[in-house]
Amino acid sequence: MQNQSVATEQKKQTSALRYKAIGLLARREQSRNELQRKLHIKAVENGWIVDLESLLDDLQRLGLQSDLRFSEVLVRSKANVGYGPSRLYQWGVQYGLDRDLVFRQMQEQQFDWFEKALQQKRKHCGCALASSLKERSKQAKYLYQRGFAQEHIYYALDTHPDKQP
């Protein structure tokens, strides 16, 4: 009788966590790692003993959670607001994504990182070329912090204002 009661309680706990997971996924895409962390916290807070791996496998099998879909959204959204490849990799690591998955998404979405760096430089620093070494250094540092590679930064800093992207 006690075993049946424990099993019933675990089913309720699993069901509650599934509901929480679906709510999180309804708001926005989540990586498996991120979702696991959030659900683990919820389970620990409530003293629940749930097989999270099995629950996450079920959500993945049903197509509710997908690292591929999450990486598509992450790469597109961050690149479109002016971040470069290095920062995209950093976010991928932060969310527990495989580096190759992030790389494939950047390849599939075919971003022109030179033009993205130029757009970001113009948005933040204006169209004119830097008039001093100090200003050029400041612009380069900004683009580097945004995740652009050295060749992207040089392109953005050296492109004359009359060249429009």
Side-chain angles (χ1 to χ4, degrees), residues 10-29:
Q10 283 182 334
K11 282 183 182 179
K12 286 181 183 177
Q13 294 169 1
T14 301
S15 184
L17 273 186
R18 179 180 317 249
Y19 182 78
K20 170 78 173 169
I22 291 171
L24 289 168
L25 291 166
R27 285 184 206 93
R28 72 168 178 83
E29 291 290 343

Side-chain angles (χ1 to χ4, degrees), residues 111-162:
F111 294 110
D112 183 342
W113 296 113
F114 293 98
E115 288 302 317
K116 290 273 185 201
L118 179 60
Q119 289 170 0
Q120 194 59 37
K121 181 260 181 194
R122 287 181 174 171
K123 179 179 175 183
H124 185 74
C125 309
C127 290
L129 293 177
S131 58
S132 69
L133 190 57
K134 183 177 179 181
E135 187 179 337
R136 183 177 171 89
S137 175
K138 185 177 174 181
Q139 291 176 5
K141 181 180 177 185
Y142 171 76
L143 291 171
Y144 177 75
Q145 289 173 335
R146 298 289 290 195
F148 291 100
Q150 188 172 1
E151 62 267 18
H152 305 141
I153 294 169
Y154 286 151
Y155 175 83
L157 297 180
D158 295 335
T159 299
H160 292 281
D162 59 344

